[in-house]
Amino acid sequence: MALFLVALLAFLSLGSGCHHRLCHCSNGVFLCQDSKVTEMPSDLPRDAVELRFVLTKLRVIPEGAFSGFGDLEKIEISQNDVLEVIEANVFSNLPKLHEIRIEKANNLLYIDPDAFQNLPNLRYLLISNTGIKHLPAVHKIQSLQKVLLDIQDNINIHTVERNSFMGLSFESMIVWLSKNGIQEIHNCAFNGTQLDELNLSDNSNLEELPNDVFQGASGPVILDISRTRIRSLPSYGLENLKKLRAKSTYHLKKLPSLEKFVTLVEASLTYPSHCCAFANWRRQTSDLHPICNKSILRQEVDDMTQARGQRISLAEDDEPSYAKGFDMMYSEFDYDLCSEVVDVTCSPEPDAFNPCEDIMGYDILRVLIWFISILAITGNILVLVILITSQYKLTVPRFLMCNLAFADLCIGIYLLLIASVDVHTKSQYHNYAIDWQTGAGCDAAGFFTVFASELSVYTLTAITLERWHTITHAMQLECKVHVRHAASIMLVGWVFAFAVALFPIFGISSYMKVSICLPMDIDSPLSQLYVMSLLVLNVLAFVVICGCYTHIYLTVRNPNITSSSSDTKIAKRMAMLIFTDFLCMAPISFFAISASLKVPLITVSKSKILLVLFYPINSCANPFLYAIFTRNFRRDFFILLSKFGCYEVQAQTYRSETSFTAHNFHPRNGHCPPAPRVTNGSNYTLIPLRHLAKN
């Protein structure tokens, strides 16, 4: 009876295929899953189909460890934190081996260059989460199958050298090199390969793909460089590229010429502006594929269908881990190559803030912005030069006009900068959009325009309040506004304008949202509050100016007060100027407030019309209406030119008039100027307002 039991156990053990004291074997699968396994077992079953070493403590995989395993199809070595070396000929001369997995072995530092040899049926090689510093040598594998090479999460691999994958397969291959520490890829790195797919994603230190990186290779058909620091794509080797992935690749700001993408059908990119390059691009595939519409096409499609059917039937019996990779590859090639016209499917699509157009979307705007910017710069520089060089005493109105001219000059500079970039990037803005909108140039332009517009509104408000105060407190000499008071007020305005212009640079809203570099970013509550606050302050300034000039108008129209006709004309003219200025800004304020409330009423393209036709009109008009068209400015202008020998007669005429005015309005020989008139308890001076308003 005892002999029978022993024989029965021996028979069962033989039927199971193998027996080992630490490992287990079942249906040809030999599994070692024990930390007590510190050396490669010497009695591995020679007829094993699959070997798995999981959670073991093997330090070395010795030379020839798997030699002679003629039926072996899969090998897995994983979750071993003490493995350090894989010696030569470990994976050699295994005719049926089609899958090798080496993963989660952080201390694996060395794989012998001769470790992989003569593996004619290899289809999947995984080396993941190890400590190796160089790509394994695969040139002796010589597979006759399509191979998926999956090398990822090896942070110590820094370089991909020349001919790194030559000899891996005589068929096509997929190479996944994601999440490594790759910093450099040499020219001809993929020489001698038929590259169906190359995945370089998540190599955060990879900055360059050399121009000849695909020299000697066929492909890639699919290229993934997502989440890398690559700055440009190679100029050569993209002829077979059908799908490009470059998501979160923020340093890739410019694409090669579209002629390089002769077979591209799908692109997943980082910036919407890049998709503008493909928006109106149509490629005639009949020029690229002469076999289209010929009988040979049907035969090739039938062959592909039959091959795919065989692959699927095999997968039903035993689907290996690499099958998903090949399924993805086949699905990527399922394109209609023989349609008349192929449109490139591109994402992300351009949004409302960045439509597919040049900075100035209309030709008429491109012309007008040059005219308006030059006019604004010339007029305001002229005003500044004349006012600063005038020989007459600096008065409060003159000081405020200097500030207004400087603010309007900055707006002119902003428009000139936008116009220059528009000309430089005409018809190619999609390739310059990222550099422009994320660079210092757009920040500078945005700073200029916000600083200038807020300083201009602030100065206009100050001018209005000064006019109102001077007229309504004419008899109260102790309340007279002096230049020092005006300087203190304008210092506050400069600090305010400078501060609010800096906010978008430091993350509160942003100048990079649109091509015209205005702070239109309202994605965060703080950014929305910032934009709304600026708009509300401008509206309040408009209300204050309206109130002040209404009061001025009522004052000079009071029938109980004696006022010269010139005083009334000046007050009306000043009121007309201010109202005209703010009526020009009213459309901008209205549409900007609606947009900041996330209820946009016009597109960014249409808003550029407001930018050119309404926004800068004040900067062009102010120097003429406030200074150049006034008599005092003409006086200062001719006197300045007389110093250079020009217009001396006109200058002398103005000097004589000024002396005569001073003679009449200053005490002399015991005579005093006319006393002010008092009516109904209110004191008003009869000194002409042009003395106050025209300087």
Side-chain angles (χ1 to χ4, degrees):
M1 186 66 181
L3 286 174
F4 176 76
L5 290 175
V6 170
L8 180 61
L9 289 173
F11 176 78
L12 291 174
S13 175
L14 182 63
S16 65
C18 61
H19 175 70
H20 194 276
R21 63 185 182 87
L22 295 177
C23 305
H24 306 280
C25 188
S26 175
N27 297 323
V29 178
F30 183 81
L31 172 62
C32 283
Q33 192 172 359
D34 196 319
S35 60
K36 296 179 181 179
V37 179
T38 58
E39 294 182 354
M40 182 64 64
S42 58
D43 54 349
L44 294 176
R46 295 293 171 177
D47 59 348
V49 175
E50 181 176 350
L51 297 178
R52 300 183 61 196
F53 301 91
V54 183
L55 295 171
T56 62
K57 297 296 182 180
L58 297 171
R59 287 187 171 275
V60 178
I61 308 296
E63 182 176 355
F66 307 125
S67 297
F69 286 72
D71 296 325
L72 189 59
E73 296 180 1
K74 298 181 183 180
I75 298 176
E76 177 184 352
I77 304 171
S78 64
Q79 302 183 59
N80 186 332
D81 57 1
V82 300
L83 180 62
E84 297 178 355
V85 177
I86 296 178
E87 295 184 347
N89 298 311
V90 170
F91 309 101
S92 299
N93 301 310
L94 301 171
K96 293 186 177 181
L97 185 66
H98 60 74
E99 180 176 338
I100 302 174
R101 303 175 67 95
I102 304 171
E103 57 183 325
K104 297 180 181 178
N106 295 327
N107 290 312
L108 177 59
L109 301 178
Y110 180 74
I111 298 178
D112 193 279
D114 293 326
F116 302 95
Q117 296 187 57
N118 191 23
L119 303 173
N121 278 298
L122 184 68
R123 284 178 278 177
Y124 182 62
L125 172 57
L126 168 67
I127 301 177
S128 171
N129 201 6
T130 70
I132 59 175
K133 298 181 179 180
H134 305 282
L135 288 174
V138 298
H139 60 282
K140 295 183 180 180
I141 290 179
Q142 306 288 317
S143 176
L144 302 177
Q145 309 295 325
K146 293 183 178 180
V147 175
L148 171 56
L149 179 62
D150 189 358
I151 300 178
Q152 57 181 313
D153 287 306
N154 304 285
I155 61 175
N156 293 322
I157 296 179
H158 298 317
T159 305
V160 180
E161 298 180 349
R162 296 169 63 94
N163 305 319
S164 290
F165 308 98
M166 180 181 288
L168 172 60
S169 174
F170 291 107
E171 296 291 330
S172 61
M173 66 182 70
I174 299 174
V175 179
W176 291 350
L177 300 175
S178 61
K179 300 179 182 178
N180 294 302
I182 297 174
Q183 300 177 6
E184 182 182 13
I185 300 179
H186 292 174
N187 282 319
C188 303
F190 303 95
N191 182 33
T193 65
Q194 300 178 44
L195 202 55
D196 283 342
E197 179 177 349
L198 174 60
N199 189 335
L200 296 169
S201 63
D202 296 291
N203 286 284
S204 58
N205 294 318
L206 180 59
E207 297 183 356
E208 182 183 7
L209 282 180
N211 271 337
D212 294 327
V213 67
F214 299 122
Q215 183 70 34
S218 174
V221 178
I222 302 168
L223 176 62
D224 192 342
I225 56 171
S226 300
R227 296 171 295 281
T228 65
R229 298 172 63 88
I230 289 176
R231 299 178 181 274
S232 62
L233 292 173
S235 301
Y236 307 100
L238 303 178
E239 295 80 10
N240 297 315
L241 188 65
K242 289 190 171 78
K243 186 166 185 177
L244 172 63
R245 299 190 189 101
K247 296 181 179 180
S248 300
T249 310
Y250 297 106
H251 289 76
L252 182 63
K253 299 177 180 179
K254 189 173 183 179
L255 297 178
S257 172
L258 297 186
E259 285 71 22
K260 303 294 183 181
F261 300 105
V262 293
T263 60
L264 187 69
V265 294
E266 184 175 346
S268 299
L269 307 175
T270 302
Y271 298 108
S273 59
H274 285 157
C275 288
C276 293
F278 304 107
N280 299 314
W281 187 49
R282 300 291 183 270
R283 187 178 65 248
Q284 295 293 333
T285 56
S286 58
D287 295 336
L288 303 175
H289 303 279
I291 65 170
C292 289
N293 299 322
K294 295 184 179 180
S295 59
I296 190 173
L297 175 64
R298 179 178 297 277
Q299 182 62 40
E300 289 188 355
V301 171
D302 292 341
D303 293 343
M304 182 180 294
T305 303
Q306 182 179 359
R308 189 179 299 181
Q310 293 176 354
R311 178 178 60 82
I312 293 174
S313 63
L314 290 174
E316 290 175 353
D317 297 333
D318 182 16
E319 183 178 3
S321 57
Y322 52 84
K324 293 182 180 179
F326 286 114
D327 288 340
M328 291 170 60
M329 179 186 70
Y330 280 117
S331 66
E332 304 290 0
F333 301 156
D334 190 16
Y335 299 116
D336 186 8
L337 296 179
C338 289
S339 60
E340 282 188 25
V341 176
V342 171
D343 294 334
V344 176
T345 303
C346 188
S347 63
E349 295 182 355
D351 55 20
F353 289 99
N354 293 282
C356 290
E357 63 183 21
D358 291 335
I359 296 180
M360 291 289 103
Y362 304 95
D363 289 337
I364 185 64
L365 295 183
R366 182 170 286 121
V367 175
L368 286 176
I369 194 173
W370 278 98
F371 173 76
I372 293 174
S373 62
I374 293 174
L375 187 62
I377 291 174
T378 304
N380 286 289
I381 288 179
L382 179 62
V383 170
L384 282 172
V385 170
I386 297 301
L387 292 180
I388 292 173
T389 60
S390 175
Q391 66 182 17
Y392 294 95
K393 180 181 177 181
L394 181 65
T395 61
V396 172
R398 190 190 300 269
F399 172 75
L400 294 177
M401 271 306 306
C402 287
N403 283 271
L404 182 61
F406 180 80
D408 292 337
L409 173 63
C410 290
I411 292 179
I413 293 173
Y414 160 75
L415 292 174
L416 185 63
L417 183 57
I418 293 294
S420 302
V421 175
D422 174 62
V423 170
H424 178 66
T425 62
K426 184 180 179 182
S427 301
Q428 288 289 322
Y429 182 69
H430 59 269
N431 262 336
Y432 297 92
I434 311 308
D435 271 335
W436 166 243
Q437 291 179 219
T438 62
C442 194
D443 281 340
F447 176 86
F448 265 112
T449 187
V450 172
F451 169 78
S453 62
E454 294 309 307
L455 183 60
S456 179
V457 171
Y458 184 92
T459 307
L460 284 172
T461 307
I463 290 174
T464 304
L465 290 172
E466 190 273 337
R467 292 293 85 214
W468 170 81
H469 182 273
T470 300
I471 292 175
T472 57
H473 298 83
M475 290 301 299
Q476 301 176 18
L477 298 180
E478 71 279 1
C479 296
K480 183 180 179 181
V481 178
H482 297 282
V483 174
R484 66 177 183 274
H485 300 141
S488 300
I489 293 171
M490 289 310 303
L491 178 61
V492 174
W494 277 69
V495 172
F496 167 75
F498 191 86
V500 297
L502 281 179
F503 284 163
I505 296 177
F506 290 100
I508 301 177
S509 191
S510 174
Y511 291 129
M512 69 176 65
K513 187 74 171 181
V514 292
S515 60
I516 52 180
C517 306
L518 296 178
M520 291 188 176
D521 184 1
I522 54 173
D523 292 339
S524 68
L526 189 59
S527 297
Q528 187 177 18
L529 177 63
Y530 165 77
V531 175
M532 279 296 298
S533 299
L534 287 184
L535 296 173
V536 169
L537 285 174
N538 290 345
V539 171
L540 289 177
F542 172 67
V543 172
V544 169
I545 290 174
C546 287
C548 288
Y549 271 95
T550 300
H551 190 267
I552 291 174
Y553 181 77
L554 294 176
T555 298
V556 298
R557 293 287 292 176
N558 192 331
N560 296 321
I561 303 174
T562 301
S563 177
S564 67
S565 61
S566 61
D567 295 341
T568 303
K569 290 180 180 179
I570 291 172
K572 290 181 178 180
R573 180 172 62 84
M574 295 294 286
M576 180 193 69
L577 293 175
I578 297 297
F579 278 113
T580 302
D581 288 340
F582 275 86
L583 282 176
C584 291
M585 295 181 65
I588 296 176
S589 299
F590 174 74
F591 289 113
I593 290 175
S594 68
S596 65
L597 294 175
K598 299 186 178 180
V599 188
L601 300 178
I602 60 173
T603 63
V604 170
S605 299
K606 296 295 189 295
S607 70
K608 294 175 183 178
I609 299 175
L610 298 179
L611 173 75
V612 175
L613 297 183
F614 290 91
Y615 178 68
I617 202 70
N618 297 338
S619 302
C620 296
N622 286 342
F624 292 92
L625 299 178
Y626 281 89
I628 295 176
F629 290 163
T630 64
R631 185 177 182 82
N632 285 347
F633 182 88
R634 291 195 295 272
R635 177 199 66 193
D636 294 339
F637 177 74
F638 286 121
I639 290 176
L640 177 62
L641 291 182
S642 68
K643 297 179 181 179
F644 301 96
C646 303
Y647 299 102
E648 293 181 351
V649 175
Q650 290 88 338
Q652 185 58 40
T653 302
Y654 280 108
R655 288 192 186 99
S656 300
E657 291 181 358
T658 303
S659 299
F660 176 76
T661 302
H663 175 80
N664 288 338
F665 286 97
H666 288 277
R668 172 176 283 187
N669 300 327
H671 297 285
C672 297
R677 177 178 177 179
V678 180
T679 305
N680 296 333
S682 300
N683 297 332
Y684 296 93
T685 182
L686 297 181
I687 297 175
L689 287 177
R690 62 177 174 271
H691 173 70
L692 301 170
K694 283 190 176 184
N695 287 340

